[in-house]
Amino acid sequence: MADTQVDEKQAAKAERHAARLARLIGSFAKEHGGAEGQIAYLGQKGARIVLVGEDGGWGDLVAPTHAVALSAVEKSGITVHEDFDGEFAAKVKTGPYEWSRMAGIQLGGPKNS
């Protein structure tokens, strides 16, 4: 009986987390004229929901599990891609900040202090 109560509490917590993430996804979509996403497995840390807006803006959210991430994107109603490649990846717009950050990771690239 105690296991049932724990399972119910965990399920309720997962549902609340998915609903919160869905609201955040919805806000992002509204701000960017719509959105599409992709769920990436992060191992024990959970799953990353990568979002790309219709205007090229992008961001991400982290869910504690893949199931919570999947529930969140389903609740939000966005299109979800299997992979982050092709036409979907081409929608991302980056600016000088992102380019300097990426270049700083490479050997000999500028430092971002």
Side-chain angles (χ1 to χ4, degrees):
M1 186 162 176
D3 288 341
T4 304
Q5 289 176 340
V6 170
D7 290 344
E8 288 174 5
K9 286 182 181 182
Q10 288 175 339
K13 184 177 180 180
E15 181 63 28
R16 287 190 305 273
H17 205 137
R20 180 177 166 272
L21 289 171
R23 284 192 302 274
L24 292 170
I25 293 167
S27 294
F28 178 90
K30 184 176 179 183
E31 184 178 329
H32 295 277
E36 297 175 53
Q38 190 261 338
I39 300 173
Y41 180 66
L42 294 176
Q44 291 181 346
K45 293 185 180 196
R48 172 173 280 130
I49 305 167
V50 180
L51 302 169
V52 179
E54 288 300 314
D55 63 358
W58 58 279
D60 67 348
L61 298 166
V62 176
T65 66
H66 188 272
V68 170
L70 189 58
S71 177
V73 296
E74 287 173 355
K75 288 176 186 305
S76 71
I78 66 169
T79 299
V80 181
H81 297 268
E82 290 291 320
D83 297 308
F84 194 84
D85 59 5
E87 290 181 32
F88 180 51
K91 291 182 178 186
V92 175
K93 291 185 182 174
T94 57
Y97 173 78
E98 288 85 4
W99 282 102
S100 69
R101 293 282 300 169
M102 287 186 268
I105 293 170
Q106 303 300 316
L107 293 176
K111 302 291 183 218
N112 291 307
S113 305

